[in-house]
Amino acid sequence: LLWNELEVSIESVAEVVASNPDPRYLPSPYLHFQLMGNPERFTSPVANTRSAVVGETFVFPMSSTEAQLRLIRRSELELELWDMNAENQDSASGKLGVSMISLLPLSQGAGIMTKHKVLSTEGVVVGKIQVSIRWVHPLRRERDGDPLVITAIEVERLMSAFMYTPANATTSTGADTKL
């Protein structure tokens, strides 16, 4: 199999709108996400601010087989913006909103650097995030590089052609051998 790593960098949050209507209230924003079945990840909360540099990077091991690249092509990264201060209050929910980022460019070997709006469940903008996602190593496909390399499927076909099975077995007594 071909292996690589995907790096997700949460650069910043900006213009965070808190669920608390008090104009003096400042949220403590952080992000939560899960990349394609990997363990959930959380950034550290940034205390009492509406805009901040987050600067956290997460690395995920990832297969770069054609099947995995097809899955990446159809996938999105869902980033949830939370307010830790609101979570700590009994009456309020800490989740502010969600941002969805298409992973399509990764399936083609390109990186993603984007500023995305975060939307509440009502579709209201509750903040902005800056995120970058990239392959740690240049993307190699199964057919890239050496023309003599064969795919895993081709290896399986070749091995099955040479496997012994009673149906294709023949016996030889040596009586027909000519010298």
Side-chain angles (χ1 to χ4, degrees):
L1 288 178
L2 295 170
W3 286 96
N4 204 332
E5 296 172 308
L6 278 177
E7 179 182 271
V8 177
S9 295
I10 311 297
E11 308 294 341
S12 63
V13 295
E15 302 173 29
V16 176
V17 177
S19 56
N20 186 324
D22 183 349
R24 297 171 301 187
Y25 175 85
L26 290 173
S28 291
Y30 70 94
L31 290 158
H32 163 256
F33 67 97
Q34 183 176 22
L35 178 67
M36 299 181 63
N38 284 282
E40 294 179 73
R41 298 298 174 109
F42 300 85
T43 63
S44 298
V46 183
N48 305 320
T49 186
R50 295 190 189 283
S51 297
V53 172
V54 177
E56 291 191 40
T57 299
F58 305 87
V59 178
F60 302 90
M62 188 72 57
S63 163
S64 59
T65 63
E66 290 303 319
Q68 183 71 16
L69 292 175
R70 282 192 302 274
L71 179 62
I72 290 170
R73 187 177 306 129
R74 297 187 311 265
S75 297
E76 292 181 312
L77 176 61
E78 178 179 316
L79 294 148
E80 297 176 349
L81 179 61
W82 288 77
D83 175 8
M84 179 163 272
N85 292 342
E87 278 184 83
N88 293 333
Q89 297 174 354
D90 291 334
S91 62
S93 169
K95 185 175 177 181
L96 300 175
V98 174
S99 184
M100 304 294 284
I101 299 172
S102 170
L103 300 179
L104 174 67
L106 294 171
S107 70
Q108 300 161 347
I112 300 168
M113 181 169 250
T114 184
K115 290 182 181 179
H116 252 68
K117 294 178 182 176
V118 179
L119 302 176
S120 69
T121 54
E122 295 82 23
V124 176
V125 177
V126 293
K128 296 178 182 173
I129 56 173
Q130 182 173 342
V131 178
S132 66
I133 310 168
R134 68 176 191 91
W135 292 104
V136 172
H137 309 286
L139 180 64
R140 288 194 49 194
R141 296 177 180 273
E142 289 177 310
R143 286 290 189 183
D144 284 352
D146 189 348
L148 300 177
V149 173
I150 60 175
T151 67
I153 293 171
E154 291 169 326
V155 169
E156 288 178 23
R157 285 185 189 146
L158 279 170
M159 290 183 69
S160 67
F162 290 99
M163 293 183 82
Y164 172 82
T165 59
N168 65 6
T170 59
T171 58
S172 174
T173 60
D176 299 311
T177 307
K178 295 183 183 178
L179 300 173

